[in-house]
Amino acid sequence: MTTTILAAEAGNTTARNLTIVLFLAFVAATLAITIWASRQTKTATDFYAGGRSFSGFQNGMAIGGDYMSAASFLGIAGLIALYGYDGFLYSIGFLVAWLVALLLVAELLRNSGRYTMADVLAFRMRQRPVRTAAAVSTITVSIFYLLAQMVGAGALVALLLGIRPGTTFLGMDAETAKVATIIMVGALMIIYVTVGGMKGTTYVQIVKAFLLMGGALLMTLLVLAKYKFNLSSLLGDAAASSGQGTAFLEPGLRYGVEVAGNATQTFYNKVDLFSLGIALVLGTAGLPHILIRFYTVPTARAARKSVLWAIGIIGTFYLFTLALGFGAAALVGGDAIREQDKAGNTAAPQLAEALGIDFLGGDLGGAALLAIIAAVAFATILAVVAGLTLASSSSLAHDFYANVIKRGETSERQEVNVARISALVIGAVSIVLSIFAQNLNVAFLVALAFAVAASGNLPAILYSLFWKRFNTSGAMWAIYGGLLAAVVLVFFSPVVSGAPTAMFADHDWQWFPLSNPGILSIPIGFLCGWIGTVISKESDEEKYAELEVRSLTGAGAH
């Protein structure tokens, strides 16, 4: 007995050491890329848009790297492992969303802006109020999204270092280690952005996309090989191990749950499902860190091409999440996943450990595969947080500092310095907030960011590109109205208080019954934009005609 325990502990120590070595190797490689990129970053265009020098394929990989976040890898695999069919809803929503981005936004945005989303909005409107609103919105969405990544990092580290409740690592218990990780990830992302700018961040994302696709493909093949490529026996095993039986393979375990004898709650559950779907599908086209990626390519054609590459890469990856989620349910089991992390965020790494033990033999094999997949998950988190911090710091510097405070009279060098300081401040804020949000599922936190983006940013972008009458007042109303609606509804929803899994589980000020505000806040954003436009007499049809020509042809674009 003692020998077995000692062998297991030796395996854990090896896994721990191997993970730390792999992770440090990734950090060292990406820091080297960042320092190399900083030498190439001479102008504001280099810092914000990577000198517009990336090809469609490179940018497609980087978009994939930016989009396949901890929510995709850890959160969705966890949701499928715990809830079966219902967990796959996120994969579908995240993927379909790209069609909205491709058809409505990518090319037009590339043609009509320079560095940030606000460039398009402010083109035919009064600069200062619109840019202020866009900066506020960008930072709010980015911080919601950053929370998800940092929480994922905290959950991962406790698993990697083998810290379970009651054990310690370097004298730290699980909670302290999670906080220390969140602080470390925050510090690294600040370095990537302040030193490397868009060029460094893009290369980090491309490297990470290759690593993530490789890791997910390897695990998918191992899961399928384990079941001799027979999908029905995989699904059968998953259903049996989940403890839910065949209900695991049918809709209704997590979303749209039928509550016997309570028609009102059943109705709310169904509406919540619809609300989540709308937020996922419409949110991508309003996410600031995705929108700024369209500016890193030289032409509109390359922007379209990069979205097509991204759809291919992301679509393939989401098919992998099916194998990862059901594989984790079958080989690890729902109870073991919940014991490690209530929200299921560690299902994929736990599956890696189980597969390693199976295929590579013994605890050392499990340790090796766990270390590789965990290092990939860390790479994922670091690349995405860098992209988010870059989006929000560029918006603060370019929109708010250069065009609102300095009214356009500032040098490029000053602007880039302000972007670097902003990255530091945003990093610090997200570190503090993440420490409080550790109990929430990362895919779910991202869905909230999507709802906020779809409510505030999307109405303003679509109206601006397609509605001739749209004006400054409309843009302000759309952004602030949608943003405020989404944030207020989230604050009074079961996510923040009044539920066992809420951020403040001991308090209860909840009156809004849905977990995702999209179904109300998105129409409110569009309605506010319309009201704001109609009550103002301002209209500039010549400027709209110019924007229309420019967005469709690229004439006059920077």
Side-chain angles (χ1 to χ4, degrees):
M1 181 75 180
T2 319
T3 325
T4 322
I5 292 169
L6 287 174
E9 278 184 7
N12 281 344
T13 313
T14 317
R16 193 179 278 185
N17 296 342
L18 191 56
T19 306
I20 293 169
V21 168
L22 281 171
F23 177 59
L24 291 177
F26 175 78
V27 170
T30 46
L31 285 175
I33 293 172
T34 307
I35 291 161
W36 167 81
S38 71
R39 297 199 176 128
Q40 322 283 319
T41 301
K42 296 183 175 63
T43 64
T45 303
D46 286 337
F47 185 85
Y48 292 132
R52 303 196 204 290
S53 58
F54 292 102
S55 69
F57 172 68
Q58 284 176 317
N59 195 41
M61 284 303 282
I63 289 176
D66 223 342
Y67 195 70
M68 296 182 297
S69 61
S72 303
F73 188 44
L74 302 173
I76 295 177
L79 283 171
I80 294 174
L82 297 180
Y83 301 104
Y85 181 94
D86 276 12
F88 191 50
L89 179 85
Y90 277 92
S91 293
I92 301 289
F94 283 151
L95 184 58
V96 172
W98 273 102
L99 295 176
V100 179
L102 172 66
L103 298 172
L104 291 180
V105 176
E107 182 182 353
L108 304 175
L109 207 72
R110 163 65 194 89
N111 283 338
S112 30
R114 283 184 70 191
Y115 303 140
T116 62
M117 171 185 90
D119 290 340
V120 178
L121 301 180
F123 183 76
R124 59 192 184 104
M125 296 171 197
R126 295 200 307 281
Q127 295 272 332
R128 296 180 74 201
V130 173
R131 283 190 185 274
T132 307
V136 168
S137 171
T138 298
I139 289 160
T140 311
V141 174
S142 297
I143 282 181
F144 264 113
Y145 216 105
L146 274 168
L147 281 183
Q149 310 308 319
M150 313 274 246
V151 168
L156 247 186
V157 137
L159 172 73
L160 286 183
L161 302 177
I163 311 173
R164 292 181 173 76
T167 56
T168 60
F169 171 70
L170 296 180
M172 296 186 288
D173 62 11
E175 290 310 306
T176 321
K178 281 183 180 180
V179 171
T181 310
I182 288 172
I183 293 168
M184 180 193 69
V185 169
L188 276 170
M189 81 185 182
I190 293 167
I191 294 169
Y192 286 151
V193 175
T194 50
V195 177
M198 178 56 104
K199 252 194 184 134
T201 304
T202 301
Y203 280 118
V204 168
Q205 280 159 349
I206 292 171
V207 169
K208 168 248 147 140
F210 275 111
L211 285 175
L212 185 59
M213 289 301 283
L217 175 64
L218 172 68
M219 282 168 71
T220 301
L221 289 175
L222 290 178
V223 167
L224 292 175
K226 169 93 176 151
Y227 285 94
K228 300 187 172 54
F229 291 83
N230 181 341
L231 284 178
S232 73
S233 61
L234 165 62
L235 295 176
D237 252 20
S241 304
S242 68
Q244 313 280 356
T246 51
F248 188 68
L249 304 177
E250 293 164 5
L253 267 188
R254 178 174 170 124
Y255 300 109
V257 180
E258 303 266 352
V259 183
N262 189 341
T264 317
Q265 192 54 49
T266 302
F267 172 72
Y268 285 148
N269 290 346
K270 305 251 186 241
V271 174
D272 210 0
L273 168 64
F274 189 59
S275 186
L276 172 69
I278 293 178
L280 295 182
V281 171
L282 297 179
T284 296
L287 288 176
H289 68 295
I290 297 294
L291 296 176
I292 64 167
R293 289 239 60 93
F294 297 135
Y295 297 130
T296 63
V297 288
T299 61
R301 182 159 179 258
R304 277 200 308 276
K305 211 172 180 176
S306 56
V307 177
L308 289 174
W309 272 110
I311 288 177
I313 293 160
I314 293 163
T316 310
F317 176 75
Y318 284 139
L319 283 176
F320 292 160
T321 59
L322 262 181
L324 300 184
F326 284 118
L331 300 172
V332 180
D335 293 340
I337 294 169
R338 280 195 182 86
E339 189 189 338
Q340 177 64 45
D341 184 276
K342 284 198 290 283
N345 295 327
T346 54
Q350 283 174 283
L351 170 65
E353 192 169 18
L355 288 169
I357 290 170
D358 228 32
F359 283 91
L360 305 175
D363 287 335
L364 195 59
L369 196 56
L370 169 64
I372 292 166
I373 297 303
V376 167
F378 260 125
T380 298
I381 288 167
L382 284 176
V384 176
V385 289
L388 285 161
T389 313
L390 184 68
S392 29
S393 59
S394 356
S395 184
L396 256 182
H398 179 65
D399 298 332
F400 193 68
Y401 174 76
N403 287 296
V404 175
I405 296 176
K406 292 288 189 181
R407 296 171 186 256
E409 292 169 21
T410 174
S411 70
E412 282 197 345
R413 175 179 282 274
Q414 275 177 311
E415 197 178 311
V416 170
N417 285 341
V418 170
R420 291 185 163 131
I421 295 164
S422 313
L424 218 148
V425 174
I426 289 158
V429 170
S430 48
I431 288 170
V432 173
L433 286 175
S434 306
I435 292 169
F436 288 102
Q438 289 181 45
N439 291 334
L440 300 173
N441 178 290
V442 286
F444 166 74
L445 278 168
V446 164
L448 291 184
F450 273 65
V452 175
S455 311
N457 296 348
L458 189 67
I461 291 170
L462 291 184
Y463 278 150
S464 191
L465 289 170
F466 298 107
W467 188 20
K468 191 184 291 186
R469 172 93 168 69
F470 195 52
N471 52 31
T472 309
S473 155
M476 304 278 294
W477 274 62
I479 292 177
Y480 287 131
L483 195 64
L484 204 64
V487 172
V488 167
L489 291 176
V490 168
F491 185 74
F492 289 107
S493 75
V495 176
V496 174
S497 72
T501 52
M503 261 173 118
F504 301 100
D506 308 335
H507 301 276
D508 187 1
W509 55 77
Q510 171 240 334
W511 52 258
F512 181 64
L514 307 181
S515 296
N516 198 297
I519 196 165
L520 262 184
S521 59
I522 297 170
I524 288 173
F526 278 99
L527 180 67
C528 287
W530 179 77
I531 293 171
T533 303
V534 173
I535 59 172
S536 163
K537 293 196 167 49
E538 178 199 354
S539 178
D540 189 340
E541 296 203 355
E542 275 180 25
K543 216 44 173 152
Y544 174 72
E546 190 184 333
L547 176 69
E548 194 172 29
V549 169
R550 184 167 156 174
S551 67
L552 292 171
T553 63
H558 299 279

